[in-house]
Amino acid sequence: MATLIEAEAASGGADITPRPQNRRNVRETIVRYRWLLFLMLPGITYFALFRFWPMYGAQIAWRDYIPFLGIQGSEWVGWKHFEDFFTNPDFPRLLGNTLILAALSLFIAFPLTIVMALLLNELRLNILKRTVQTLVYVPHFLSWTVVVSLTGLLFAIGNGPLWTWLNDLMGTEINFLADPAWFRPLIVLQDVWKNTGWGTIIFLAALASVDQEQYEAAIIDGAGRWQRVWHITLPSIRSTIIVLLILQTGQILNTGFEQIYLMSNALNRSVADVFDTYVYFVGIQQGSYSYATAVGLAKAIVGVILIFGTNWIAKRFNQTGIF
């Protein structure tokens, strides 16, 4: 039989020897894409060490964790720490402070990012456009320690330039850094100054893909600049806006530990305490590791629910979601 098959193949007949179709050897695939896999290695290592491996320790939220006994040696207490957190008298205040700061960031800082991208996109002089882009990107690379230090210098009592100007304007003497009424406006202003320029990068990339023929056709039809922005530019980046909004909603309880911690003090603590700082004070300073883990885990679960819920709403309105 083998002789007949070889003879038929040699004579130009059909090769009936079974061969795997649409399969690639794993080794050949790895060799072929070795450099891409090598570039992925740092990212995979980062997420494995700092995102997935710590999940093992999340179980201490259900244990009365004692470092000397270890995770497995600590007593299992079930939902005790979660119940203590939700029944804690500080919970309503922490939730209110966190949601207010998150809402201010979502409804002020996020739209300003879109506005900044639209303004930069309308600049036609490349030198001016690149100069403005560089100036608005630079604050992102400053640490929150530097940003808060600059804020302290600008609003320093007695000699701060902004403190002097605002007090002369209002005719009063206000300690902006300690007044609870000014804590949230300062947080939002810092966030806008530091992150708005950097957040425009994704929107500018989306705007670069807009078909220029649409603008030319609109100009021929007599559309003004505002009409072109409203009817062409914004619809073209709508999917990008929705995806980033969904991701931003998932981070709504992450108000940022460093900024809040550095800006808070004994006088504005009533409005400055949020979940992130509370976890630090309770977990690190007081040593309640299990309780702090339960708080952080509850916050993360709420974030996941918000992502799925916002994505579901976007899908219900026939918009592009993240999955």
Side-chain angles (χ1 to χ4, degrees):
M1 179 64 68
T3 304
L4 293 175
I5 294 176
E6 293 174 358
E8 184 176 3
S11 62
D15 187 1
I16 61 176
T17 304
R19 294 179 178 177
Q21 299 294 326
N22 298 325
R23 291 183 180 178
R24 292 181 177 178
N25 186 277
V26 176
R27 184 176 179 180
E28 293 178 355
T29 303
I30 294 176
V31 172
R32 181 177 180 181
Y33 297 105
R34 60 186 181 277
W35 293 114
L36 292 177
L37 295 174
F38 179 76
L39 293 174
M40 292 172 57
L41 186 60
I44 294 175
T45 304
Y46 169 79
F47 280 98
L49 292 178
F50 299 102
R51 289 294 185 267
F52 292 101
W53 177 249
M55 291 183 182
Y56 171 78
Q59 62 178 295
I60 68 174
W62 290 274
R63 296 180 181 271
D64 190 8
Y65 177 67
I66 300 176
F68 298 102
L69 298 178
I71 295 178
Q72 298 300 327
S74 299
E75 180 184 1
W76 185 272
V77 295
W79 298 95
K80 175 180 180 296
H81 299 300
F82 293 92
E83 295 174 357
D84 292 342
F85 172 59
F86 291 116
T87 57
N88 193 311
D90 291 330
F91 176 74
R93 179 173 60 87
L94 294 171
L95 180 63
N97 293 340
T98 304
L99 291 179
I100 291 174
L101 288 176
L104 291 174
S105 176
L106 187 64
F107 294 111
I108 296 179
F110 183 74
L112 285 178
T113 303
I114 304 173
V115 173
M116 177 66 72
L118 295 176
L119 293 175
L120 290 174
N121 187 62
E122 291 298 318
L123 293 177
R124 292 295 174 258
L125 189 61
N126 287 331
I127 296 178
L128 178 61
K129 183 176 182 179
R130 293 172 183 174
T131 302
V132 174
Q133 283 180 310
T134 303
L135 292 176
V136 297
Y137 290 169
V138 168
H140 175 77
F141 299 98
L142 300 177
S143 67
W144 279 117
T145 303
V146 176
V147 174
V148 173
S149 298
L150 291 174
T151 305
L153 292 174
L154 292 173
F155 290 94
I157 298 177
N159 56 3
L162 289 182
W163 181 88
T164 304
W165 179 72
L166 289 174
N167 280 291
D168 291 342
L169 183 65
M170 295 183 294
T172 58
E173 290 190 2
I174 301 175
N175 185 357
F176 297 98
L177 298 177
D179 191 348
W182 282 91
F183 176 79
R184 289 163 182 159
L186 289 177
I187 292 294
V188 174
L189 289 175
Q190 288 177 342
D191 189 24
V192 169
W193 181 73
K194 188 176 188 296
N195 296 321
T196 298
W198 184 256
T200 61
I201 293 178
I202 297 177
F203 292 112
L204 288 174
L207 290 171
S209 63
V210 179
D211 189 2
Q212 297 300 316
E213 293 183 357
Q214 298 184 37
Y215 291 112
E216 296 173 359
I219 292 173
I220 294 174
D221 292 338
R225 176 166 293 185
W226 170 249
Q227 292 175 319
R228 296 196 299 270
V229 170
W230 184 258
H231 295 288
I232 298 176
T233 305
L234 287 177
S236 299
I237 63 173
R238 181 184 302 162
S239 59
T240 304
I241 294 174
I242 293 175
V243 170
L244 292 179
L245 180 62
I246 293 173
L247 297 176
Q248 184 77 10
T249 304
Q251 300 290 325
I252 196 169
L253 297 182
N254 294 330
T255 51
F257 167 76
E258 294 181 17
Q259 180 190 16
I260 304 298
Y261 177 75
L262 293 172
M263 287 293 294
S264 62
N265 52 61
L267 298 177
N268 61 16
R269 189 64 53 81
S270 60
V271 296
D273 281 341
V274 294
F275 289 140
D276 291 330
T277 57
Y278 183 70
V279 168
Y280 171 77
F281 289 129
V282 173
I284 303 300
Q285 293 189 351
Q286 300 179 12
S288 300
Y289 303 112
S290 296
Y291 181 77
T293 303
V295 176
L297 193 59
K299 186 186 71 171
I301 293 174
V302 172
V304 172
I305 294 174
L306 289 175
I307 288 178
F308 278 90
T310 310
N311 186 79
W312 179 80
I313 294 174
K315 291 288 188 180
R316 290 284 295 178
F317 286 92
N318 298 321
Q319 301 297 326
T320 303
I322 58 176
F323 50 82

